[in-house]
């Protein structure tokens, strides 16, 4: 029998029951549901709305349910409409009359809004810890390869020499923004919806500041309609997750490329790669590919949430039950991806010689050759054109800028001297890029230091 049976003369059709029920996916909020009920009951008693005895019975009953759910002694009833109904019915079955008083001055609408915030707040802590772990690993690797020369690319064409450490730190800065975006979204989620009632508050003398404080929120939501119908926090989080996944996906794409024989810049540990069922030579970067693929589903979660909310009149509508699977999927996917990606990165082997060999080809020191002439007084545009001519000559004659003879250089311009070879050496090109934010080893180490200080200051 439904808790709302009074108004109805028939049981719900079994198909409606199944269709309507959310316990399959909202049962994961059982701890938060109980936490909210404990705070609500304590407030009701504090305000004299229920008796102290009832409050004690409720609290004991809820603690018992929590224990039994944690231990597996109590199973969720798949026929229950949702986690809120299930716990209330179970409580009443255990403690009788007092259980029926718990829902005074409350609705499932403000209850679910509270549970979801509490749940996401908890999950965000875990995501933050995982993300900090990833950034910290990027810092370790970047410090280790601060002076490892590799080609930097634009249009996936070799462009200018950089260091592997610098390349990795670029991702650390992206993930740092993700950490800040998540913290920012969490700060806006910091209002407490309980006491909004179904939509219009209540005539009972409740104390919403007390429950807000008990549950660790800065304030109660200031408008009851908004309190029950706001899902911005889900959308903001899904959006922050999408951006985070986009970053992880870009890095995944690079890992896939770097593992290919065409690049062979890195090799993944056997424990983080997979084989082929038919091709014995294969070692596939499945983890990186799956992260790239799962980015699509997180974007899908964001789209689902935005679309569910777009036409809803105030206040609560059942459509909003669809919020949970989307945001839960986003949470699960992000956690799973970071947790698998970080150790993959930590255990990879970096093939420095291959990176250097790739950097030695492709004329990535052409800009430095032009800059050499500029430092000797030639305007940059002229130096650019002249170097272009030298590159064309090298291509024609199968040479590189390093192997072109001094006579050839001097035929192009009298400004060239024997020191040109030092100026265009890969190490010099990289060491010289000391501009703030550049790829020089010293700059990479400074970035690592700055990033580590940021991580230390972030707190738990
Ligand atoms: N299971 C519902 C949800 O997730 C709880 C709120 C139900 N409220 C209602 N008025 N039917 O949204």
């Amino acid at each position: 029998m439904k808790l709302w049976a009074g108004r109805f003369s028939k049981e719900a059709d079994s198909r409606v029951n199944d269709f309507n029920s959310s316990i399959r996916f909202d049962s994961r909020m059982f701890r938060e549901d109980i936490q909210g009920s404990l705070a609500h009951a304590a407030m009701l008693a504090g305000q004299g709305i229920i008796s102290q005895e009832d409050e004690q019975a409720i609290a004991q009953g809820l603690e018992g349910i929590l224990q039994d759910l944690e231990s597996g002694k109590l199973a969720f009833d798949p026929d229950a409409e949702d986690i809120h109904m299930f716990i209330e019915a179970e409580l009443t079955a255990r403690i009788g009359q007092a259980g029926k008083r718990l829902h005074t001055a409350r609705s499932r609408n403000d209850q679910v809004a509270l549970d979801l915030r509490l749940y996401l707040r908890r999950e965000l802590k875990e995501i933050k810890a995982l993300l900090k772990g990833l950034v910290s690993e990027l810092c370790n690797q970047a410090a280790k390869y601060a002076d490892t020369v590799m080609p930097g690319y634009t249009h996936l064409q070799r462009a200018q020499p950089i260091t592997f450490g610098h390349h990795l730190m670029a991702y650390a800065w992206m993930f740092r923004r993700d950490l800040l975006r998540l913290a920012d979204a969490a700060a806006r989620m910091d209002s407490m919806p309980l006491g909004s009632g179904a939509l219009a508050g209540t005539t009972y003398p409740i104390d919403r500041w007390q429950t807000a404080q008990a549950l660790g929120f800065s304030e109660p939501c200031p408008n009851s309609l908004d309190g029950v119908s706001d899902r911005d926090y889900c959308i903001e989080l899904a959006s922050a997750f999408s951006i985070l996944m986009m970053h992880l996906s870009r890095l995944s794409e690079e890992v896939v490329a770097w593992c290919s024989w065409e690049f062979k810049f890195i090799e993944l540990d056997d424990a983080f790669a997979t084989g082929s069922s038919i091709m014995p030579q294969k070692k596939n970067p499945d983890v990186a590919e799956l992260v790239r693929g799962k980015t699509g589903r997180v974007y899908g979660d964001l789209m689902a949430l935005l679309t569910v909310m777009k036409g809803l009149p105030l206040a609560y509508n059942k459509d909003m039950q669809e919020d949970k699977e989307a945001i839960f999927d986003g949470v699960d996917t992000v956690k799973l991806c970071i947790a698998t990606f970080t150790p993959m990165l930590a255990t990879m082997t970096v093939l420095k010689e291959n990176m250097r060999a790739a950097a030695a080809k492709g004329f990535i020191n052409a800009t430095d050759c032009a800059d050499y002439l500029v430092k000797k007084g030639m305007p940059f545009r002229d130096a650019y054109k002249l170097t272009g001519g030298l590159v064309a000559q090298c291509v024609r004659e199968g040479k590189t800028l390093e192997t072109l003879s001094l006579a050839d250089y001097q035929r192009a311009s009298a400004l060239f001297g024997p020191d040109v070879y030092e100026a265009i050496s890969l190490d010099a090109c990289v060491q010289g890029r000391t501009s703030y934010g550049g790829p020089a080893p010293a700059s990479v180490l400074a970035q690592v230091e700055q990033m580590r200080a940021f991580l230390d200051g972030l707190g738990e």
Side-chain angles (χ1 to χ4, degrees):
M1 191 61 97
K2 293 282 181 214
L3 287 179
W4 35 258
R7 165 75 173 76
F8 290 78
S9 54
K10 273 187 185 172
E11 284 284 313
D13 186 283
S14 68
R15 286 159 296 192
V16 171
N17 221 18
D18 294 344
F19 185 67
N20 217 24
S21 169
S22 54
I23 187 125
R24 212 170 13 92
F25 47 86
D26 64 18
S27 56
R28 65 159 86 189
M29 303 191 300
F30 74 89
R31 291 185 193 84
E32 288 72 23
D33 197 74
I34 290 173
Q35 187 189 358
S37 289
L38 287 169
H40 180 65
M43 182 280 291
L44 290 179
Q47 296 297 104
I49 301 168
I50 62 170
S51 69
Q52 299 290 343
E53 299 77 61
D54 281 346
E55 196 264 329
Q56 267 172 23
I58 290 172
Q60 269 176 18
L62 287 173
E63 299 286 4
I65 293 174
L66 180 61
Q67 269 177 21
D68 293 350
L69 284 173
E70 301 262 21
S71 69
K73 210 163 117 192
L74 174 63
F76 297 110
D77 171 7
D79 286 331
E81 189 176 322
D82 54 30
I83 186 62
H84 327 292
M85 293 289 217
F86 170 75
I87 290 179
E88 191 186 332
E90 179 64 26
L91 180 69
T92 302
R94 290 187 181 202
I95 66 167
Q97 288 301 320
K100 296 191 198 163
R101 296 193 206 277
L102 171 62
H103 211 54
T104 314
R106 185 176 77 170
S107 153
R108 276 184 298 154
N109 297 352
D110 53 354
Q111 203 180 343
V112 73
L114 171 70
D115 292 3
L116 194 50
R117 285 172 198 240
L118 289 172
Y119 177 80
L120 291 173
R121 193 168 73 182
R122 181 157 66 88
E123 290 291 334
L124 267 182
K125 279 198 182 146
E126 285 187 36
I127 292 178
K128 185 173 159 188
L130 284 165
L131 201 48
K132 278 174 74 175
L134 172 61
V135 175
S136 162
E137 187 50 44
L138 283 166
C139 286
N140 295 343
Q141 299 278 356
K144 198 163 156 196
Y145 301 108
D147 58 3
T148 302
V149 175
M150 74 178 272
Y153 296 81
T154 62
H155 313 270
L156 203 56
Q157 303 284 321
R158 290 172 192 157
Q160 291 181 343
I162 57 168
T163 44
F164 189 50
H166 191 56
H167 197 112
L168 292 177
M169 283 313 287
Y171 285 99
W173 291 105
M174 297 178 217
F175 294 126
R176 177 183 185 273
R177 288 196 293 276
D178 293 324
L179 277 163
L180 293 171
R181 243 186 298 276
L182 289 172
D184 189 49
R188 254 188 306 282
M189 191 166 74
D190 187 24
S191 320
M192 204 284 300
L194 208 58
S196 298
L199 74 163
T202 174
T203 54
Y204 292 99
I206 59 171
D207 182 351
R208 296 194 61 207
W209 292 95
Q210 186 194 322
T211 30
Q213 199 192 16
L215 293 164
F217 288 88
S218 310
E219 51 156 29
C221 305
N223 180 301
S224 64
L225 293 172
D226 187 40
V228 289
S229 65
D230 169 28
R231 293 293 182 275
D232 288 5
Y233 52 95
C234 295
I235 297 175
E236 284 193 49
L237 288 180
S239 153
F241 292 164
S242 295
I243 299 176
L244 191 173
M245 287 300 295
M246 178 268 288
H247 294 149
L248 211 50
S249 183
R250 291 183 74 178
L251 182 49
S252 295
E253 165 61 18
E254 305 222 65
V255 166
V256 171
W258 291 339
C259 285
S260 74
W261 282 106
E262 282 68 17
F263 279 80
K264 262 292 166 256
F265 285 0
I266 61 171
E267 185 167 345
L268 297 179
D269 189 85
D270 281 358
F272 286 89
T274 43
S276 155
S277 59
I278 169 168
M279 295 166 281
Q281 84 283 12
K282 290 296 280 292
K283 181 166 174 186
N284 297 328
D286 283 23
V287 169
E289 291 169 58
L290 259 180
V291 167
R292 197 174 57 185
K294 284 177 187 291
T295 303
R297 57 187 290 161
V298 176
Y299 290 4
D301 297 331
L302 171 62
M303 264 317 125
L305 286 164
L306 282 168
T307 313
V308 163
M309 295 306 292
K310 76 176 269 289
L312 297 188
L314 295 181
Y316 178 84
N317 302 268
K318 187 77 172 196
D319 314 44
M320 288 157 72
Q321 180 165 288
E322 290 290 310
D323 59 0
K324 277 170 270 326
E325 281 166 295
I327 194 65
F328 293 165
D329 183 73
V331 165
D332 295 347
T333 308
V334 163
K335 280 168 60 179
L336 196 63
C337 287
I338 307 177
T340 322
F341 196 92
T342 304
M344 179 192 73
L345 211 62
T347 52
M348 70 183 173
T349 305
V350 175
L351 305 173
K352 293 184 183 189
E353 324 68 46
N354 293 355
M355 289 187 180
R356 177 171 276 273
K361 295 180 210 139
F363 304 101
I364 63 175
N365 46 5
T367 314
D368 300 272
C369 179
D371 286 342
Y372 170 91
L373 291 171
V374 170
K375 283 172 196 150
K376 302 248 164 162
M378 189 180 284
F380 178 76
R381 203 34 82 203
D382 295 339
Y384 168 94
K385 196 167 165 214
L386 190 148
T387 307
L390 289 174
V391 168
Q393 182 186 347
C394 289
V395 172
R396 266 198 315 275
E397 299 173 6
K399 293 179 180 157
T400 67
L401 288 174
E402 291 87 336
T403 57
L404 201 63
S405 72
L406 187 58
D408 281 334
Y409 273 113
Q410 287 177 336
R411 227 186 320 278
S413 165
L415 291 177
F416 280 117
D419 56 342
V420 65
Y421 296 104
E422 168 55 20
I424 62 167
S425 86
L426 283 178
D427 287 306
C429 296
V430 155
Q431 298 282 354
R433 286 188 150 70
T434 52
S435 52
Y436 181 78
S443 158
V444 174
L445 294 175
Q447 291 177 55
V448 168
E449 206 174 305
Q450 207 180 334
M451 191 64 70
R452 284 180 173 153
F454 164 76
L455 291 179
D456 287 345
L458 258 187
E460 183 240 350

